């Protein structure tokens, strides 16, 4: 089993953290780093100059590639960790077929123009069966992985046996991994929590305190469960770390780019300027439009006042303070 090779696609902070986890576990990794400057720096200095620069890779099991086909060709497992907004363009460069690969998405976002999760996109546009798709998720910020602070992940696959097997590649002294068969919930939970983290950051900038934040996040969890039950009911425990845990850390952590994005919106920045200021992708921005589209596509009515308010603010340029005030009476 340890002879399995992983191809990692992406070179941001989460991709870098995942490469660290795998190589720490003596797993062979082919890393596709499409930025020439970053790749050459890693090859020379064994560290990523832009993301988690304190992480050093001293291993013969790590091979870097400038060509995605070369990275994927000999791998049995492909781990996607590029921002969702860029994934489609990255995948289009791939000519090596994915049919004989197992693909794991570590992307907590959606493909913007198609309004699909990564698993849905791979299934519909690349004919990859859900049996060959996994999701790795959980309350796990890359910055704390770099520091080897104890963190928890969840590996979701249609087969619990496959989930258990893949989980073993990531588990070590500082990473604990549980297994699940809830691919849908794992992905949509990760999409939704980014929307709610934007709301928390926004309300922080608007002057709301900790008491209100607790109410806001509690209602966000209710909203998340309501959406998932309505769209795909499953025997899931929404209080588990893959759902509630990920929501909490994304809403509260200073490492959360979606919370940071929301803080900038609350200060009066436009969505475009906030993204430029951060120089990072806030997945929750695209997720807000995605959830609106999913509800319309499925023809469902589900009460989601927080997500709806975020859509009005981010896409219809409504005043943040007024939108928040308009939904206060709906909180319990």
């Amino acid at each position: 089993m340890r002879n399995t090779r992983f191809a990692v696609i992406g070179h941001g902070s989460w991709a870098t953290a995942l490469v660290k986890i795998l190589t720490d576990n003596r797993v062979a990794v082919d890393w596709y780093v499409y930025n020439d400057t970053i790749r050459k720096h890693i090859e020379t200095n064994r560290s990523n100059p832009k993301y988690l620069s304190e992480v050093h890779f001293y291993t013969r099991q790590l091979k870097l590639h400038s060509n995605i086909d070369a990275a994927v060709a000999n791998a049995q497992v492909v781990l996607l960790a590029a921002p969702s907004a860029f994934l489609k363009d990255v995948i289009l460069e791939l000519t090596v077929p994915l049919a004989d690969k197992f693909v794991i998405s570590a992307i907590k976002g959606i493909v913007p123009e198609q309004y699909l999760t990564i698993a849905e996109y791979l299934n519909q546009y690349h004919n990859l069966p859900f049996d060959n798709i996994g999701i790795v998720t959980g309350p796990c910020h890359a910055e704390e992985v770099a520091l080897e602070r104890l963190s928890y992940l969840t590996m979701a696959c249609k087969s619990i046996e496959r989930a258990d097997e893949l989980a073993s590649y990531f588990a070590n002294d500082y990473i604990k991994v549980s297994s699940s068969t809830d691919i849908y919930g794992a992905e949509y939970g990760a999409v939704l929590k980014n929307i709610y983290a934007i709301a928390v950051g926004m309300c922080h900038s608007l002057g709301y305190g900790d008491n209100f934040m607790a109410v806001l996040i509690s209602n966000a969890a209710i909203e998340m469960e309501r959406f998932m039950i309505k769209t795909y009911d499953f025997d899931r425990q929404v209080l588990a770390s893959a759902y509630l845990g990920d929501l909490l850390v994304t809403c509260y952590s200073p490492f959360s780019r979606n919370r940071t994005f929301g803080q900038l919106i609350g200060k009066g920045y436009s969505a475009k300027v906030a993204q430029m200021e951060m120089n990072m992708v806030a997945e929750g921005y695209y997720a807000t439009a995605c959830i609106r589209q999913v509800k319309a596509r499925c023809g469902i009515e589900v009460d989601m006042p927080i997500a709806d308010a975020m859509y009005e603010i981010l896409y219809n340029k409504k005043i943040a303070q007024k939108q928040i005030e308009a939904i206060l009476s709906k909180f319990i």
Side-chain angles (χ1 to χ4, degrees):
M1 186 170 66
R2 287 298 160 188
N3 292 327
T4 297
R5 295 188 69 86
F6 277 66
V8 176
I9 311 301
H11 58 254
S13 56
W14 189 218
T16 303
L18 290 167
V19 171
K20 169 184 167 55
I21 293 168
L22 291 170
T23 54
D24 281 357
N25 291 354
R26 302 296 185 265
V27 176
V29 174
D30 289 289
W31 192 3
Y32 173 48
V33 180
Y34 40 88
N35 181 296
D36 289 340
T37 301
I38 292 177
R39 187 185 66 259
K40 290 174 182 177
H41 189 280
I42 297 173
E43 289 174 338
T44 302
N45 301 288
R46 314 306 293 174
S47 65
N48 190 328
K50 191 172 181 180
Y51 304 99
L52 307 185
S53 56
E54 67 275 24
V55 173
H56 285 76
F57 303 100
Y58 297 107
T59 173
R60 295 178 181 177
Q61 293 157 301
L62 177 62
K63 186 175 182 180
L64 280 85
H65 299 270
S66 60
N67 180 279
I68 190 170
D69 282 340
V72 171
N74 296 317
Q76 290 80 45
V77 180
V78 178
L79 180 59
L80 302 176
S84 62
F86 309 135
L87 178 68
K88 188 166 64 172
D89 292 336
V90 172
I91 292 292
L92 282 175
E93 299 175 7
L94 182 66
T95 63
V96 172
L98 291 174
D100 62 340
K101 313 289 184 184
F102 193 92
V103 181
I104 301 174
S105 172
I107 302 170
K108 297 182 178 182
I110 56 98
V111 180
E113 293 177 4
Q114 278 69 37
Y115 301 108
L116 297 170
T117 66
I118 308 306
E120 291 168 338
Y121 177 75
L122 291 171
N123 176 257
Q124 293 184 28
Y125 285 83
H126 293 273
N127 299 314
L128 199 65
F130 285 110
D131 288 341
N132 287 14
I133 300 173
I135 308 298
V136 62
T137 188
C140 199
H141 280 302
E143 293 80 2
E144 293 202 356
V145 171
L147 297 170
E148 298 189 4
R149 291 180 176 171
L150 183 61
S151 303
Y152 283 69
L153 290 171
T154 296
M155 180 65 66
C157 303
K158 282 195 72 174
S159 161
I160 195 66
E161 292 78 17
R162 178 59 66 89
D164 288 341
E165 177 188 348
L166 290 169
S168 70
Y169 289 97
F170 294 86
N172 57 31
D173 289 343
Y174 60 91
I175 300 290
K176 307 301 179 186
V177 191
S178 59
S179 300
S180 170
T181 57
D182 185 20
I183 293 177
Y184 182 93
E187 279 210 290
Y188 272 102
V191 169
L192 286 161
K193 57 92 178 179
N194 287 330
I195 300 173
Y196 302 129
I198 292 175
V200 168
M202 190 181 299
C203 288
H204 177 78
S205 288
L206 292 173
Y208 290 91
D210 291 343
N211 294 345
F212 174 76
M213 293 304 182
V215 175
L216 177 62
I217 296 170
S218 297
N219 280 268
I222 294 170
E223 210 170 280
M224 178 187 293
E225 183 177 23
R226 192 182 293 147
F227 174 86
M228 290 195 288
I229 289 174
K230 195 77 172 182
T231 53
Y232 186 70
D233 200 5
F234 185 88
D235 186 22
R236 64 177 63 90
Q237 175 53 267
V238 294
L239 299 181
S241 62
Y243 313 101
L244 180 60
D246 206 6
L247 171 67
L248 291 173
V249 76
T250 310
C251 288
Y252 281 122
S253 175
F255 295 128
S256 170
R257 63 187 64 182
N258 289 284
R259 177 189 166 100
T260 301
F261 177 77
Q263 288 176 320
L264 293 172
I265 298 297
K267 291 177 181 178
Y269 288 65
S270 68
K272 182 178 180 179
V273 173
Q275 294 269 27
M276 293 172 59
E277 181 77 13
M278 291 171 57
N279 196 30
M280 292 187 294
V281 175
E283 298 279 14
Y285 173 73
Y286 302 105
T288 303
C290 170
I291 296 303
R292 174 66 64 97
Q293 290 291 330
V294 170
K295 288 164 62 178
R297 186 169 68 227
C298 296
I300 60 171
E301 292 290 336
V302 53
D303 191 26
M304 301 180 73
I306 304 171
D308 290 342
M310 292 304 101
Y311 182 86
E312 293 298 327
I313 294 164
L314 296 175
Y315 286 89
N316 291 333
K317 299 180 173 57
K318 297 292 182 65
I319 297 172
Q321 183 68 60
K322 290 185 177 180
Q323 290 299 307
I324 297 300
E325 289 174 355
I327 64 174
L328 297 181
S329 62
K330 296 190 175 186
F331 292 167
I332 59 175

